[in-house]
Amino acid sequence: MTPINVLLGLALVAYICSKQLRWRAVDPAQMFKLPIILGVAGVLSIAGQHVTIHPVDVVILGLSALMAVASGALMGRIARFRMSPTVPGTVESRTGGAGIAIWIGLILVRVALDVAGHRMGSDLAVSTGSILLVLAINRATSALVVSARQPHRALAMAGR
């Protein structure tokens, strides 16, 4: 990885961690923007590599995707909801410190899979594109779960 990729990766991690701590409006249109952007960037990055896909690539990518879905679902499940104190009728959510812990756990698992994949000769599974896809899957899964759990406005306004 180039130093610029490392810096961009760290900036993305810091951005996503900061989002876990802030109350944000539950707006599906907004929640799915980042996963779509990351997913498109990941696919384009992988498509531009012209590498042969080996069985180890499939295993590493599959395990990474499975961990991304599991961590995203868990993050969506632990999200807390409240009515916005500044925008009437708007539901907000956040995952807090537990969300950051899950996020860091996903990163650690992904680093371990990258190290193992690199030692087994994987080029595709340890690429920047595959990392972006893992992040996209995690964020999309979390957004799906939060959207499904979002309290209806009438219930949220009643304090439920």
Side-chain angles (χ1 to χ4, degrees), residues 120-146:
M120 291 187 268
S122 172
D123 291 324
L124 180 65
V126 298
S127 69
T128 301
S130 69
I131 293 168
L132 292 174
L133 285 177
V134 167
L135 298 177
I137 292 167
N138 170 271
R139 300 287 70 217
T141 303
S142 179
L144 284 170
V145 174
V146 167

Side-chain angles (χ1 to χ4, degrees), residues 12 16 34-43 46 57-73 75 102-103 105-111 113-114 124-142:
L12 183 60
I16 292 174
L34 181 62
I36 290 169
I37 292 168
L38 292 174
V40 169
V43 168
I46 289 173
D57 293 315
V58 174
V59 170
I60 298 293
L61 290 173
L63 288 172
S64 295
L66 181 65
M67 292 306 299
V69 167
S71 61
M75 290 172 86
I102 295 166
W103 180 242
L106 173 63
I107 292 168
L108 292 175
V109 167
R110 179 60 202 195
V111 168
L113 288 172
D114 279 356
L124 180 65
V126 298
S127 69
T128 301
S130 69
I131 293 168
L132 292 174
L133 285 177
V134 167
L135 298 177
I137 292 167
N138 170 271
R139 300 287 70 217
T141 303
S142 179

